[in-house]
């Protein structure tokens, strides 16, 4: 019958150290979930994109982020020159390249 009159402060004192350890374990769990579900996959994608951009060369057929398809005619440090049709070239940042296509893809389109 006296259990009804126990205040929340008294109940918290009875729990003591177990609550602090549980909070630390949960915090570590959240950090691990964040790492494996968000940060690690994003870092993998960024590494793959850096490798893709680093491997661009003259003659590669690429798609840029806006969906434009073309053949690389010139490569510089930060930009590529992309031939999108006969006698039509545009300068594009290397980082805009989304994918490298297999050779001959443009002719089949």
């Amino acid at each position: 019958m006296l259990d009804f009159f126990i205040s929340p402060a008294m109940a918290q004192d009875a729990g003591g150290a177990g609550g602090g350890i549980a909070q630390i374990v949960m915090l570590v769990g959240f950090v691990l979930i964040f790492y494996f579900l968000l940060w690690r996959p994003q870092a993998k994608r960024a590494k793959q994109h850096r490798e893709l951009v680093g491997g661009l060369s003259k003659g590669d057929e690429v798609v840029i982020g806006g969906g434009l398809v073309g053949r690389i005619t010139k490569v510089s440090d930060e930009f590529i020159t992309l031939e999108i049709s006969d006698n039509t070239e545009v300068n594009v940042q290397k980082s805009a390249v989304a994918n490298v296509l297999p050779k001959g893809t443009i002719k089949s389109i």
Side-chain angles (χ1 to χ4, degrees):
M1 182 159 198
L2 291 176
D3 292 336
F4 182 78
F5 296 106
I6 295 177
S7 70
M10 291 171 65
Q12 187 177 13
D13 287 340
I21 293 173
Q23 288 178 349
I24 291 173
V25 169
M26 284 186 51
L27 180 63
V28 169
F30 283 130
V31 168
L32 288 174
I33 288 171
F34 180 77
Y35 174 76
F36 284 109
L37 293 179
L38 297 174
W39 188 77
R40 190 169 177 234
Q42 181 62 28
K44 255 185 186 178
R45 282 190 293 271
K47 181 181 176 185
Q48 288 173 344
H49 190 258
R50 278 193 308 272
E51 291 172 356
L52 174 100
V53 168
L56 293 175
S57 62
K58 183 177 177 180
D60 286 345
E61 297 178 0
V62 296
V63 176
I64 62 171
L68 197 61
V69 178
R71 181 176 294 111
I72 297 175
T73 58
K74 181 181 173 188
V75 179
S76 66
D77 290 337
E78 293 183 32
F79 292 91
I80 59 172
T81 302
L82 197 63
E83 182 181 19
I84 54 176
S85 68
D86 294 333
N87 300 322
T88 305
E89 293 183 344
V90 292
N91 292 324
V92 180
Q93 284 185 330
K94 279 185 169 181
S95 61
V97 174
N99 201 2
V100 176
L101 301 172
K103 300 279 184 190
T105 303
I106 294 176
K107 289 181 182 179
S108 66
I109 294 178

